[in-house]
Structure formats: C-alpha cells, structure tokens
Amino acid sequence: MPLHKVACAAAVLVAVLLLAGAGAGVMAPEGPNHCLDCHTTPARLVQAVREIADSARGIPTVSTAFEGSG
Amino acid sequence: MEQLAPHEKVFVADTFVRDPYHGVMGCQECHGGDPGNPDYLTAHDGVVRDPSHPPGGSVCADCHPEIADSSRTSLHTTLAPFARLVRTRASTSPDIRASVDRARATHCSACHISCGQCHVSRPTYVGGGLMDGHVFQRKPPMRETCTACHSSRIAQEYFGHNGGTLPDVHWRERFFDCMRCHDGKEMHGDGLEPKDRYHVANAPRCEHCHLDIYGEDAPNGTQHRTHRDLVSCHVCHSQPYASCYDCHLALDDFGFRYYRSSVTVLNFKIGRNAQPTPLRPETYVLLRHVPVTSKTFAYYAKDGLSRFAALPTWKPATPHNIQRRTPQNASCNACHGNTVRFLLPGDVCPGECVANRDVVVPETMVPARVDFQAAQTGHDRGIRP
C-alpha cells in the first residue's frame, strides 16, 4: 500500500476517534431526573406535601397575631 | 389574593420543560439538589428555593447581565429608603440603633423581591408559589405579583375596593395593567440608587401619555396651564385614599414576626411638597399618613425612634384612583378656600406637629376663594383627553 494512502487512512482514523471521544463527553449518561418525575405529577406532589404536613403537624409556620392592614 | 395549595406552589408544567431556553437546563443548574436521588427528603438537601436572589449575582445574570446588574440597585431589590428613613428617626446610640436595624431587617425589609419573584413565582412575602407551572413570565401577571404585594393601598385604590370610591379610570375604562405605566425599564432600575420612588428617573408621569393637556386648544387647558407645577395631577384627579396611623412590630411566642395596625382612615389631604425636585416641582401635593409612630419599634428598643420628629409622618402620595371629574375639581371654590381639603396644623396628631411642620398648610397658605364670575370664565368645559 502506498505510503500516502496509509497516512490518509491514519488521519481519518484519528479524526473519527477524536470525534467519537468528544461525542462521548456530550452524551454522558444523565440518569433519571427525579425532580421532573415528581414535580410534573400532581398526585405525587399531593402525596409528598401530605407527608410533610403530617410530619410537621402542630408546628406553626407563621404568626397568627397579625392585625390590621399592612 | 387566594393562596395556592401547597402542591400547586411547586408544580412544574410540561410547557416549562419545552421552554427552549430555561426548560433545557437541568433543575440542579439553578436550584442545586440531587436530581438522581429518588428520596425527595434527601434529594432537596442544598436546594436553593430562589436562585435569582440577589439579582446582581444570581443565575439570571449569566444570560441577562445588563438587567441583572441594573436590578441590583432597583428599589424593589434594595428597599433602601426604609433603611435611610428609619435610621433618620432612630436613636444615635449604637446599641439602640443596632436593635432598630434588626427590627427593620426583620419586618420592613422583608418584602424585597428578586427576578424570580416577578417572573417565575409569586413573591415570597405573599406566600410564594410557582406561577403557571414554572413557565417564565416575560410580563409578570399583575394580580399575582404587583398587587399581591401592593395590596392595601394601590390595589384597593385601583380596583375601587375602598368603600365609596370608584375604580381608577385607567382600569375601569381601559383595563390598563400596572406595566402599562410602570414598564420594565423602571422596574429593572437604571443602575443608579434613587433616594426614593419619587426620584426614580424613569418613573412614569401623567404627561407621558397626556401630552397635550397644556395646549391652547386642550380640554381644560386654561386650568392645566394655571396649575402646572403648582399642584400635582393627583390633587385634582384623585379620590379619597387610605392613611394608616400606627404600626407596631413584634415577634410572637414562636419567634415569628407580626405587625398590628389599628387605625386606617380614608381621607384626602392636600399639603405642601417639602422637597420639590425637578421631577416633582409642585408646591401642593397629596399627603398620606404613613404607618409609623414613635413606638413602632418599642418591642425591640425602648425609645428606638428617639428622633421621631426628624421626618414628617404625612408623606407625598400618588393614589391610584384617578378620575377625570372629582369633587375637588368640580369648581374653583371646591378647592380654593375650602380648608377641609387641606392638611391644616390642627389636623395633625398632637405629638407629630414638629415632624410635620414643613408639610402642613397654614390657613394663610390655603388658596383664597376666587370670584365666581372669574371662575366661570376660566373653567372651560373640556372633553375627555
């Protein structure tokens, strides 16, 4: 095989490997996004806020002593 | 304004996920937390509820640097006049002053907002909660943001909820929302630090729309030219508005802040403009009693406001309940010589006479009644501007 063809094939191979490597970085595994799973599902949100409310039952979150207009 | 249910406050809509700008960012890029953790209790460790605060150094600045930068000094961000005014009235004793500063930070400065608290969620001060499923609102919805905070005065006036008053004509006939006059440039600030809202350079003025009221052929042109720079527009075109006369700030048994204000009265008082400026040159303006007494901070520091008389308790007001025809502009003598409409020295609480000495109108300064014939010839009947 002529030398220039070997060099050309090697250059193409290197370019492909570089592009593949770059692509692998961009396409890193993201895994599941539990934020969206829950926050876009009203039923799951309702369940979660009920659990939180139950755990904090009786604990005030704001004063009840306000009087008049602010 | 009705509060959102707890789950509604944190609901994210599919439409937000399809937002080609904000929706493609990972939740954790702005809010932190661990999206890969299925346990919601521990997944929220480190979550920042409002990553847009403070505006200058917030996540918004990455893509909106100019607005984020100018917003750093916007009054909505800094609430700077509160600090200046309270300190002017406060004792000079370092210990007492520190207590007053703590009270101010706990109560008066609690309602500051951020980019997100207009464009993404309701303001925290009014209970928060995502608007429209986290979809970014280019133009904040008036009732969920503006009048949610500016409720007891502006909203009551503008929507005509004060007993016996009509909605502002700009709402009743034109359905102008707040942003029609108070645009983004004003809200986002100009990077300067205005002394107060009446010194905001790009704040709206009536003349910005009502350009021709001083013209020779303008409706009521004679009246507008005669009173120009002497009387603010609101003096002739406002209805009665609320004044609050006290406010007491404290913490309850659980350590939560609260206020108590007992006296709110609808009134209408013309007073002197104690600090005329190029933007507000008028001699006579409307005045509103602000909710403060010398005992407002008594829970935190006895005699905290020991220099209470350093500032008036009647402050310039721009009620948002404008009408074209009002009792005071029905005729010349509805105002001229009508002492009831003016804040006379005797109208001021006994303990506030010194504080208000520069804004009350001595009877000798009440414009004299005018000759009836002259009034008729000078009061040309105009048409709607």
Side-chain angles (χ1 to χ4, degrees):
Chain A
M1 182 182 287
L3 188 59
H4 71 277
K5 286 190 176 178
V6 173
C8 186
V12 169
L13 182 63
V14 168
V16 168
L17 288 173
L18 284 173
L19 286 173
V26 170
M27 298 173 65
E30 294 177 352
N33 185 331
H34 293 288
C35 309
L36 290 179
D37 286 349
C38 189
H39 280 269
T40 57
T41 312
R44 295 177 71 170
L45 285 178
V46 169
Q47 178 63 28
V49 298
R50 278 181 180 162
E51 290 174 8
I52 294 169
D54 285 342
S55 66
R57 192 173 298 280
I59 301 173
T61 56
V62 68
S63 179
T64 56
F66 286 95
E67 281 182 14
S69 60
Chain B
M1 180 182 61
E2 184 183 356
Q3 286 285 309
L4 294 170
H7 70 280
E8 291 177 314
K9 290 184 177 184
V10 292
F11 174 70
V12 176
D14 288 338
T15 44
F16 166 69
V17 182
R18 291 198 294 272
D19 177 342
Y21 302 104
H22 304 101
V24 296
M25 301 167 69
C27 308
Q28 75 281 6
E29 289 183 52
C30 292
H31 292 281
D34 181 5
N37 185 345
D39 179 355
Y40 72 81
L41 290 175
T42 53
H44 285 84
D45 285 348
V47 160
V48 179
R49 178 176 167 178
D50 179 5
S52 69
H53 181 77
S58 70
V59 293
C60 308
D62 291 344
C63 295
H64 307 279
E66 291 183 5
I67 292 175
D69 189 49
S70 66
S71 295
R72 280 189 304 108
T73 53
S74 138
L75 293 181
H76 275 103
T77 302
T78 66
L79 297 172
F82 273 119
R84 181 174 58 78
L85 297 174
V86 171
R87 283 199 152 215
T88 302
R89 286 196 171 107
S91 164
T92 54
S93 158
D95 289 344
I96 297 177
R97 182 172 280 243
S99 296
V100 170
D101 279 346
R102 184 164 62 91
R104 175 182 54 77
T106 303
H107 297 269
C108 314
S109 300
C111 63
H112 61 75
I113 56 164
S114 62
C115 310
Q117 291 183 44
C118 280
H119 294 284
V120 184
S121 75
R122 294 179 176 184
T124 300
Y125 188 71
V126 292
L130 295 170
M131 299 183 293
D132 199 14
H134 205 303
V135 174
F136 280 65
Q137 313 288 308
R138 181 178 180 85
K139 183 177 175 180
M142 174 173 68
R143 290 184 187 265
E144 290 188 274
T145 54
C146 313
T147 59
C149 288
H150 299 277
S151 54
S152 59
R153 292 172 188 78
I154 304 299
Q156 294 286 97
E157 293 162 0
Y158 198 60
F159 300 130
H161 292 164
N162 284 329
T165 66
L166 291 170
D168 191 296
V169 68
H170 300 94
W171 175 251
R172 182 162 50 89
E173 295 197 3
R174 301 295 179 91
F175 293 104
F176 282 3
D177 61 20
C178 303
M179 280 67 74
R180 182 69 180 244
C181 295
H182 300 279
D183 62 12
K185 285 185 178 177
E186 181 194 359
M187 293 298 101
H188 295 149
D190 55 8
L192 303 176
E193 296 187 29
K195 181 181 175 187
D196 56 41
R197 68 182 186 274
Y198 293 126
H199 287 77
V200 173
N202 46 16
R205 290 186 60 82
C206 305
E207 294 96 321
H208 290 167
C209 288
H210 299 275
L211 299 170
D212 56 356
I213 58 171
Y214 301 115
E216 288 293 332
D217 300 327
N220 289 325
T222 305
Q223 296 304 319
H224 287 133
R225 286 192 299 276
T226 300
H227 294 91
R228 185 175 193 176
D229 293 348
L230 289 175
V231 176
S232 74
C233 305
H234 292 78
V235 167
C236 292
H237 293 286
S238 287
Q239 303 171 83
Y241 47 91
S243 280
C244 297
Y245 288 83
D246 68 354
C247 186
H248 295 284
L249 307 171
L251 301 179
D252 66 14
D253 293 340
F254 297 99
F256 293 114
R257 65 171 181 259
Y258 69 90
Y259 60 75
R260 284 181 174 161
S261 60
S262 58
V263 187
T264 299
V265 176
L266 281 187
N267 54 22
F268 179 95
K269 290 295 178 185
I270 304 167
R272 284 185 291 156
N273 183 4
Q275 293 183 319
T277 67
L279 288 174
R280 303 278 171 182
E282 299 90 1
T283 305
Y284 293 98
V285 295
L286 288 187
L287 300 178
R288 188 197 307 262
H289 196 286
V290 291
V292 66
T293 73
S294 60
K295 306 295 183 191
T296 289
F297 294 113
Y299 173 85
Y300 291 88
K302 187 184 177 189
D303 298 327
L305 300 183
S306 62
R307 297 187 297 164
F308 186 70
L311 292 169
T313 54
W314 287 86
K315 296 296 184 68
T318 46
H320 284 53
N321 56 12
I322 297 299
Q323 303 297 314
R324 183 166 177 265
R325 293 204 178 281
T326 59
Q328 69 273 20
N329 73 17
S331 67
C332 299
N333 290 333
C335 189
H336 283 251
N338 190 351
T339 55
V340 172
R341 303 208 190 281
F342 291 82
L343 184 72
L344 303 178
D347 295 328
V348 175
C349 300
E352 299 180 359
C353 294
V354 176
N356 293 293
R357 61 188 179 278
D358 293 334
V359 299
V360 295
V361 182
E363 290 209 39
T364 54
M365 283 189 68
V366 173
R369 289 177 63 83
V370 295
D371 173 73
F372 185 73
Q373 288 296 323
Q376 284 295 303
T377 54
H379 193 248
D380 41 333
R381 298 285 175 181
I383 58 172
R384 183 182 308 272

